[in-house]
Amino acid sequence: DAGVIQSPRHEVTEMGQEVTLRCKPISGHDYLFWYRQTMMRGLELLIYFNNNVPIDDSGMPEDRFSAKMPNASFSTLKIQPSEPRDSAVYFCASSRPGEGTDTQYFGPGTRLTVL
Amino acid sequence: AQKITQTQPGMFVQEKEAVTLDCTYDTSDPSYGLFWYKQPSSGEMIFLIYQGSYDQQNATEGRYSLNFQKARKSANLVISASQLGDSAMYFCAMRGLRAGNNRKLIWGLGTSLAVNP
C-alpha cells in the first residue's frame, strides 16, 4: 500500500511569497495531521482533520497559515505571505481509528526554506 | 497536563549490543497509548512500536521491545542487537484514549542514538 504522499519534497522561496504544501493520506484513513518540525521547537501539531473537517487548529501559528481538506484524499497547507521563520520541515500524517493503536503514519515531509 | 520526558539527549551504543532509551510520561487519563518513532538522518518519521496502558504484556516488534512500567509511568524502548542503521533520533509520544479525546499526540524532545561499529 502507498504511504502518505507529500509534495514538494523541498521548497525554496523568498520572503513574501505564497507557499502551498500538499498531502495525500493513506487510503481509508480518516484523520489527517499537519506537523511542523524545527530544531528550536521540535515537533508541533499545527492542525488536524477528521473526515475532511478541521477539528483542532490551535497549533496554527497565525493567520498567514491556512489548511484545507477538500476531499478524503487531498489536503493543503498554505503560507501566505511566507517569512524566514517559517523555514522548517512540514510533515503530514494520517491515521485510521478502530485499528486499536490509532497509529499516525507520516509522509516523507517537505523541507521549506524561506529566504 | 500531559507530558512526555526523554532525559537522554544523546546515546552511544556499540554495534550488536542492546540499548535502552528512556521515556517517562505524565497523564491524568486512565487509558492511554504510548508510541515510539524513529527519525533517521534522511528525515522521515517511522512508527516503531505501540503500548496500550491496559495491555497485559509489554509490546515487542522484532528487535524493538517496550519496557512498560505503569506505576513508574515509564515506557522505555529497548533495541536489541543494535545495527548501524539504528543510528537516528527516537521520539516517544502519548495520547489519551478516552472516547472524545483529542487525537493530538504529546511528543518528547527525542533521543539521538549513535551506533558505533
Side-chain angles (χ1 to χ4, degrees), chain A residues 43-106:
Chain A
L43 199 62
E44 304 172 277
L45 177 67
L46 300 178
I47 185 172
Y48 78 89
F49 295 83
N50 176 217
N51 291 323
N52 313 337
V53 176
I55 302 300
D56 185 346
D57 66 353
S58 59
M60 295 286 264
E62 49 199 271
D63 292 345
R64 296 185 298 107
F65 286 69
S66 63
K68 295 182 179 179
M69 192 165 185
N71 57 61
S73 58
F74 184 66
S75 177
T76 59
L77 178 68
K78 187 175 292 187
I79 308 173
Q80 165 64 19
S82 58
E83 297 183 2
R85 59 191 169 120
D86 302 330
S87 297
V89 179
Y90 291 81
F91 288 103
C92 177
S94 69
S95 71
R96 184 174 64 186
E99 289 183 325
T101 67
D102 190 13
T103 298
Q104 294 181 24
Y105 294 92
F106 282 70

Side-chain angles (χ1 to χ4, degrees), chain A residues 36-38 41 44 84-90 110-114:
Chain A
R36 177 173 68 178
Q37 186 179 36
T38 61
R41 294 188 296 270
E44 304 172 277
R85 59 191 169 120
D86 302 330
S87 297
V89 179
Y90 291 81
T110 296
R111 183 173 296 274
L112 173 65
T113 302
V114 183

